[in-house]
Amino acid sequence: MRALPETPLERIRAHLVGMKMSRALEVLDDCVRRIEDGQLSALEFLDELLGEERATRETRRIKSCLMTARLTRIKTLEGFDFSFQPSLDKNRILALAELSFIERGEVIHLLGPPGTGKSHLAVALGVEAVKAGKSVYFTTLAEIIDTLSKAEREGKLAQRIAYIIRPALLIIDEVGYLPVQKGGANLFFQLVNARYERGAVILTSNRGFGEWGEVFGDTVVAAALLDRLLHHAIVIEIAGNSYRLREHAKLVPDSLRLPPVSAQTKPKRRRGRPRKKTSK
Ligand code: ADP
Ligand code: MG
């Protein structure tokens, strides 16, 4: 350590520089002025200096962890209008925000038609987890399959899977929007298997479990996936309307309105127009 300055104030400044306490350094002069004016006691001075530094560091930590988690479009539980989705139990979601599901390594399924807030809630829970100091990774099913296919071609599949399953909470958005290409279901299964009973997962989907055979293009793999992803699982079905369309719902033709997403694991009958009766 270099020789310290003579006056206490200059020494405090040098300590703060040495300890890289930039926020404390910023507020130092103002705090000193308030001590001199009799507005701040010695203890209050210390409290404020350390409090400011700590709050700034915490904000910086959260920002950086949100980037690492790839939570860039921030959504919060405070920003979620529960009155718009009466089928959703607000207390159940708030209980999830206590994050004990992460400790227990549970899988949360958020099911519902497009625009019902599945991604919003998944991101909001991810943000809560980051704030609580948990590691989080947000991705979509399509991205996972893309990145695993690439890793497989490069002979790095095991490393890539290990990287994706490392965080305490893995969020996989948009299961079911895009059809899974050949080989994709197998790759995803390897990831799910590696993750099984090793950490919490949140999945969002616009398709019921009974449709997973169709989503993954393979009923055997779909059954094996469900076997693992429904063990230690919490299933939340949102049966409401699209928040995106709330002002224009009347403009959507009936033929494009989607039915509620069912958690039933049995395949549903095919959707679409009923077959014409053949006249005898
Ligand atoms: P989904 O993933 O179910 O298709 P999103 O979560 O992406 O739907 O929601 C679509 C948009 O509407 C997002 O901008 C989201 O923040 C917003 N949104 C959805 N539901 C609500 C809600 N109940 N309160 C506030 N905003 C909502
Ligand atoms: Mg979504």
Side-chain angles (χ1 to χ4, degrees):
M1 207 160 66
R2 273 196 269 148
L4 286 169
E6 287 203 349
T7 68
L9 182 58
E10 285 312 310
R11 277 203 297 279
I12 290 176
R13 218 184 290 281
H15 292 320
L16 296 180
V17 170
M19 290 187 292
K20 298 191 169 60
M21 293 174 69
S22 54
R23 179 63 191 156
L25 199 59
E26 265 173 32
V27 295
L28 179 65
D29 284 341
D30 183 55
C31 286
V32 170
R33 187 191 50 74
R34 283 157 62 211
I35 293 180
E36 286 166 358
D37 287 354
Q39 295 170 18
L40 220 56
S41 70
L43 279 181
E44 285 165 346
F45 163 76
L46 202 55
D47 179 31
E48 183 153 340
L49 207 69
L50 295 177
E52 282 283 337
E53 180 65 34
R54 190 173 172 193
T56 306
R57 286 186 181 199
E58 182 62 0
T59 309
R60 211 183 300 146
R61 178 192 73 77
I62 291 174
K63 218 169 151 187
S64 141
C65 291
L66 289 173
M67 295 296 280
T68 311
R70 308 190 338 138
L71 289 165
T72 44
R73 270 195 243 158
I74 300 306
K75 301 282 176 180
T76 60
L77 289 176
E78 295 77 47
F80 193 83
D81 178 2
F82 283 91
S83 67
F84 186 79
Q85 284 313 345
S87 73
L88 196 62
D89 182 349
K90 179 176 178 180
N91 288 330
R92 204 169 168 212
I93 302 294
L94 296 185
L96 290 178
E98 301 284 315
L99 306 177
S100 49
F101 75 95
I102 298 184
E103 254 61 68
R104 292 195 293 268
E106 288 171 337
V107 180
I108 299 179
H109 295 267
L110 293 167
L111 305 182
T116 48
K118 304 180 296 295
S119 302
H120 185 130
L121 290 173
V123 169
L125 290 171
V127 170
E128 289 301 317
V130 164
K131 282 191 197 161
K134 313 272 180 206
S135 54
V136 178
Y137 190 70
F138 178 92
T139 182
T140 63
L141 178 63
E143 266 172 8
I144 285 192
I145 291 176
D146 253 18
T147 183
L148 293 185
S149 309
K150 186 164 170 273
E152 190 181 37
R153 285 196 299 276
E154 293 168 355
K156 293 180 186 157
L157 184 60
Q159 290 104 298
R160 193 66 200 156
I161 288 180
Y163 176 79
I164 297 176
I165 66 168
R166 209 164 32 183
L169 172 62
L170 174 62
I171 304 176
I172 305 173
D173 201 19
E174 298 184 353
V175 173
Y177 278 99
L178 298 172
V180 173
Q181 301 303 319
K182 206 167 179 311
N186 266 313
L187 290 171
F188 185 55
F189 174 75
Q190 291 183 57
L191 177 107
V192 167
N193 206 30
R195 178 71 174 180
Y196 177 59
E197 293 193 327
R198 295 229 190 110
V201 182
I202 299 179
L203 289 135
T204 80
S205 183
N206 63 330
R207 307 286 290 269
F209 299 131
E211 297 172 274
W212 275 36
E214 205 181 305
V215 169
F216 288 94
D218 185 320
T219 48
V220 176
V221 178
L225 281 171
L226 283 176
D227 188 56
R228 281 144 185 89
L229 292 172
L230 288 177
H231 192 198
H232 318 296
I234 298 169
V235 180
I236 293 171
E237 294 171 70
I238 313 176
N241 297 318
S242 169
Y243 192 84
R244 293 190 187 99
L245 297 176
R246 65 197 182 286
E247 277 148 25
H248 307 290
K250 289 199 186 81
L251 302 178
V252 181
D254 281 346
S255 58
L256 286 183
R257 273 181 220 282
L258 293 167
V261 176
S262 158
Q264 293 295 318
T265 43
K266 294 233 173 68
K268 272 195 294 188
R269 295 245 180 88
R270 283 190 66 79
R271 285 211 204 103
R273 220 184 286 158
R275 293 214 180 102
K276 270 188 199 157
K277 278 188 195 137
T278 43
S279 47
K280 283 176 209 159

